[in-house]
């Protein structure tokens, strides 16, 4: 199983905050407790020759629908 991922890790909360800010929406409250989320690496996928279309989530989401 390969999960496509860019080279810039981001916490889910930070992603949601960035997307909401880009749309002019108020931020979501910070989560309570420690960060326990899993991390996804693209090392093996990159080794296969795959290259992400966008270097990070900001440029990917900024490209608009159908990216």
């Amino acid at each position: 199983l390969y999960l496509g991922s860019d080279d810039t890790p981001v916490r889910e909360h930070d992603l949601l905050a960035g997307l909401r800010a880009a749309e002019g929406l108020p931020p979501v409250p910070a989560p309570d407790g420690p960060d326990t989320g899993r991390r996804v690496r693209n090392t093996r996928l990159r080794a296969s020759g795959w290259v992400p279309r966008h270097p990070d989530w900001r440029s990917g989401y900024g490209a608009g629908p159908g990216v």
Side-chain angles (χ1 to χ4, degrees):
L1 174 66
Y2 288 92
L3 299 174
S5 172
D6 62 35
D7 296 329
T8 309
V10 63
R11 292 183 185 99
E12 182 179 13
H13 177 264
D14 296 333
L15 173 68
L16 292 174
L19 293 175
R20 290 180 65 84
E23 293 296 319
L25 299 170
V28 294
D32 293 335
D35 177 17
T36 58
R38 289 182 55 183
R39 303 293 189 264
V40 177
R41 292 190 180 134
N42 65 7
T43 308
R44 289 180 15 189
L45 197 54
R46 283 281 209 165
S48 76
W50 176 83
V51 177
R53 182 179 299 173
H54 299 282
D56 59 33
W57 65 270
R58 287 176 184 88
S59 66
Y61 279 105
V67 174

